[in-house]
Amino acid sequence: MPRFSRITGTGSKLPERRVSNDELAAELAGRGIETSDAWIVERTGIRARHFAAPDVTSSDLAAEAARHAMDAAGVQAADIDLVIVATSTPDMVFPSTACIVQRKLGIQQGAAFDLQAVCAGFIYALSVADSMIRSGTARRALVIGAEVFSRILDFSDRTTCVLFGDGAGAVVLEASDEPGILATRLHADGRHAEVLCTPGHVSGGQVIGRPLLHMDGQAVFKLAVHALDHVAREVLEAAGRQASDVDWLVPHQANIRIMQGTARKLKLPMERMVVTVDEHGNTSAASIPLALDVAVRSGKIQRGDTLMLEGVGGGFTWGAALIDY
Ligand code: UT7
């Protein structure tokens, strides 16, 4: 049985269309909604996000991100025996987006399934894939976060529609006897289901309810800061490491103020945190693997670095992973 699972390649994909705050504010003004670049930057750190074209799906972005990760790892479709896609914006009710990605990549063996933990989805997916690899159920996994959140945004609600964007990130995770993922910790508390949700379900061929994102931003903010600090300490303890051992914090990119709060509580300087929220906005399950890939490809993150990945999202769900990269 392998002792560890290890990230051997990363990849990402952003839709072509970059929408600056000014561009979004102008579009919203046309609908009678008032916002500004200054408000969005000050409250969130977001300067732009990417929106997918109407015919682009989560599986399109996921497959492209996965191809880049597979190229980086030097693996082929025939080598992959597990595909997990974390998404809240699947292509269809069923089959899973993971099965569609599997077909797009020409993978014909192993398991494929979606995982729903909203913005904590990638951490959940990484933890599940790590467990499956260490138990011998899989040897080489594609772990993907992919979203087209623009499809579920309520563009009449300025408190949410300025925050989110579309994109995908992926890693190849392989069985290894060398250290890789050192520990993961996952949590959920369904009592807070309504603070961040997209209600609605399908019945009799109709969508029942209003399937647009709803969020009590301040409630989420308070829950997030506490949950992230707690799980960060928990995963460090599980791995027998200190916060000072962390070379790079790769947090879910929701709001720069939450990210700064987490770094401050861990006494980590901001220079050791990967920040992409300014250019990506909040891409939910895609945000952590997108940030990871940007930092790997820019040369910030180097082999041998210790990484802490952490995320929090609707559910309420949250988790962290400590990794020797
Ligand atoms: O991945 C899931 C995790 N989600 C999150 O992490 C979100 C967590 N929450 C947040 O990031 C913040 O709570 C927000 C960015 C959503 C809001 O920031 P805030 O500092 O909590 O602002 P607020 O809700 O207290 O609103 C302050 C003011 C209000 O006006 P009044 O009542 O003071 O007159 C809002 O109506 O800002 C107003 N406002 C806006 N103004 C311009 C809210 N949204 C906008 C906007 N443009 N887009």
Side-chain angles (χ1 to χ4, degrees):
M1 221 72 94
R3 290 183 56 223
F4 295 100
S5 73
R6 216 166 159 266
I7 295 174
T8 54
T10 66
S12 61
K13 174 68 185 173
L14 286 166
E16 321 306 328
R17 185 174 169 226
R18 177 185 182 274
V19 181
S20 69
N21 288 345
D22 281 334
E23 199 181 330
L24 184 59
E27 261 182 46
L28 292 174
R31 300 170 188 237
I33 309 290
E34 193 192 325
T35 189
S36 65
D37 174 60
W39 189 94
I40 302 170
V41 171
E42 188 197 321
R43 303 284 175 138
T44 71
I46 298 167
R47 294 179 186 278
R49 75 287 297 138
H50 290 246
F51 284 156
D55 61 339
V56 171
T57 61
S58 286
S59 73
D60 290 329
L61 300 175
E64 201 57 34
R67 276 189 199 100
H68 293 310
M70 288 166 70
D71 285 349
V75 301
Q76 313 294 320
D79 302 323
I80 302 291
D81 59 6
L82 174 64
V83 181
I84 308 180
V85 177
T87 186
S88 299
T89 48
D91 290 20
M92 300 187 195
V93 173
F94 70 82
S96 68
T97 306
C99 284
I100 300 168
V101 168
Q102 198 206 33
R103 178 175 66 185
K104 284 182 176 168
L105 296 174
I107 300 168
Q108 291 172 7
Q109 64 288 320
F113 59 92
D114 285 2
L115 194 153
Q116 164 61 286
V118 203
C119 303
F122 183 77
I123 300 289
Y124 266 65
L126 197 68
S127 180
V128 170
D130 173 55
S131 299
M132 289 178 72
I133 287 173
R134 283 187 298 107
S135 71
T137 310
R139 278 202 66 78
R140 201 171 282 112
L142 268 173
V143 184
I144 306 169
E147 303 283 12
V148 283
F149 249 56
S150 57
R151 307 277 155 78
I152 56 167
L153 294 180
D154 179 355
F155 284 98
S156 67
D157 176 7
R158 68 177 182 174
T159 68
T160 54
C161 73
V162 300
L163 305 176
F164 295 89
D166 303 337
V171 302
V172 174
L173 200 65
E174 302 194 34
S176 165
D177 288 326
E178 301 298 316
I181 296 184
L182 303 174
T184 64
R185 286 293 180 271
L186 305 178
H187 293 279
D189 186 346
R191 287 176 302 171
H192 305 296
E194 275 80 30
V195 299
L196 176 49
C197 60
T198 298
H201 64 276
V202 176
S203 178
Q206 306 281 328
V207 177
I208 312 294
R210 195 163 173 268
L212 293 176
L213 187 146
H214 161 82
M215 178 169 73
D216 176 345
Q218 289 191 0
V220 171
F221 199 110
K222 283 181 202 144
L223 286 165
V225 171
H226 176 74
L228 290 173
D229 182 50
H230 179 260
V231 78
R233 290 174 198 286
E234 204 179 30
V235 81
L236 283 168
E237 193 180 324
R241 300 283 181 96
Q242 311 288 321
S244 54
D245 296 328
V246 174
D247 295 299
W248 289 102
L249 182 61
V250 190
H252 170 47
Q253 310 280 320
N255 182 320
I256 193 74
R257 287 154 57 210
I258 296 178
M259 293 157 64
Q260 285 163 340
T262 312
R264 207 177 305 122
K265 279 175 177 258
L266 287 173
K267 297 195 170 59
L268 283 176
M270 281 302 285
E271 300 74 56
R272 276 155 66 185
M273 186 165 76
V274 177
V275 178
T276 53
V277 69
D278 52 341
E279 274 299 309
H280 298 173
N282 180 347
T283 58
S284 192
S287 95
I288 295 172
L290 253 166
L292 178 65
D293 185 52
V294 166
V296 165
R297 284 175 195 266
S298 72
K300 266 187 182 172
I301 291 180
Q302 300 279 331
R303 285 284 169 203
D305 283 351
T306 298
L307 316 180
M308 185 188 289
L309 278 46
E310 49 157 36
V312 59
F316 213 65
T317 53
W318 66 102
L322 199 74
I323 300 171
D324 271 352
Y325 176 69

